Amino acid sequence: GENVEQHPSTLSVQEGDSAVIKCTYSDSASNYFPWYKQELGKGPQLIIDIRSNVGEKKDQRIAVTLNKTAKHFSLHITETQPEDSAVYFCAASKDEKLTFGTGTRLTIIP
Amino acid sequence: KAGVTQTPRYLIKTRGQQVTLSCSPISGHRSVSWYQQTPGQGLQFLFEYFSETQRNKGNFPGRFSGRQFSNSRSEMNVSTLELGDSALYLCASSFAGSHEQYFGPGTRLTVT
């Protein structure tokens, strides 16, 4: 089955700086790669996603890149703000089953 | 538009008991998936239902089961609870044929 690895497990950045989280996947048939943000006491919130026929997607301060050959994808957050502090999960899917990475706890230092 | 709702939000049960959790998807969403979240194992897929039929199943024992009703609402059941079943159980819904899954707030189950 699919296996998703996510790095780093924790990340601290100064407010205003950029943050990058990286994931690799094992199943070349996976074609959908979402990113979720989870705040304390809440369920994961879909923040951005990318499909395998696209190399990059951007939504305001958030962008995701996908390298199908290397089987890795990354989340980029620019101009970080205190409200970006949360746990971020990547996932990969080829059907309705999402396989998640282990999460990255992002802390924005004011 | 209302999001995914899950009830109850918190539950405390004793080993050996059984529990039923409920999930109401976003209006118009017909696919419902269930996930277990624990500090040790992370987010793991349990099963997915569409049009009252289980389409996908994860690697969980038969004690974990689910069903979906004609209005797309779903329930999951865990029988003979074990301490290791303590977790946050998350439900996600999506449109038919769409990969985009939207999660509810979860049910926090504690087994003592």
Side-chain angles (χ1 to χ4, degrees):
Chain A
E2 176 66 276
N3 181 52
V4 177
E5 295 189 358
Q6 182 172 348
H7 299 281
S9 57
T10 61
L11 180 61
S12 295
V13 300
Q14 289 290 139
E15 181 178 352
D17 287 351
S18 296
V20 180
I21 302 171
K22 298 182 179 182
C23 290
T24 60
Y25 61 99
S26 61
D27 189 345
S28 56
S30 289
N31 56 11
Y32 176 68
F33 307 91
W35 285 88
Y36 286 87
K37 174 185 181 182
Q38 188 173 27
E39 296 173 289
L40 200 60
K42 297 184 178 181
Q45 174 194 0
L46 178 64
I47 56 172
I48 196 168
D49 57 14
I50 192 167
R51 297 176 193 274
S52 59
N53 58 347
V54 175
E56 183 173 359
K57 183 177 179 181
K58 189 174 182 181
D59 182 5
Q60 298 182 19
R61 296 186 297 109
I62 294 174
V64 58
T65 59
L66 171 66
N67 183 327
K68 279 195 302 181
T69 303
K71 287 193 273 187
H72 66 69
F73 56 113
S74 301
L75 176 72
H76 303 253
I77 306 174
T78 59
E79 300 172 12
T80 52
Q81 300 169 4
E83 54 264 36
D84 294 329
S85 293
V87 179
Y88 292 79
F89 292 94
C90 63
S93 169
K94 60 182 177 184
D95 46 32
E96 301 303 322
K97 171 185 173 182
L98 291 172
T99 301
F100 284 89
T102 48
T104 296
R105 183 173 298 280
L106 175 63
T107 302
I108 307 302
I109 304 166
Chain B
K1 192 184 239 186
V4 177
T5 58
Q6 294 187 243
T7 57
R9 292 293 312 279
Y10 303 92
L11 207 48
I12 300 174
K13 290 286 188 178
T14 304
R15 269 181 303 175
Q17 289 185 314
Q18 74 165 17
V19 66
T20 299
L21 312 181
S22 181
C23 171
S24 292
I26 292 171
S27 178
H29 286 192
R30 294 172 59 195
S31 173
V32 173
S33 298
W34 289 89
Y35 294 83
Q36 182 196 65
Q37 186 174 26
T38 60
Q41 299 298 317
L43 278 153
Q44 292 187 289
F45 173 79
L46 279 156
F47 29 66
E48 183 246 347
Y49 286 87
F50 176 76
S51 291
E52 304 177 62
T53 301
Q54 187 181 90
R55 288 202 300 193
N56 260 309
K57 188 177 189 306
N59 297 323
F60 279 82
R63 300 186 297 107
F64 292 81
S65 63
R67 60 178 176 168
Q68 186 180 34
F69 302 94
S70 58
N71 62 357
S72 295
R73 190 177 69 86
S74 178
E75 290 181 346
M76 69 163 282
N77 183 277
V78 188
S79 62
T80 320
L81 285 165
E82 301 177 359
L83 294 178
D85 297 333
S86 294
L88 181 67
Y89 289 89
L90 293 157
C91 165
S93 74
S94 62
F95 281 115
S98 170
H99 285 292
E100 296 174 17
Q101 295 186 25
Y102 296 89
F103 283 82
T107 294
R108 172 75 62 187
L109 171 65
T110 301
V111 182
T112 62

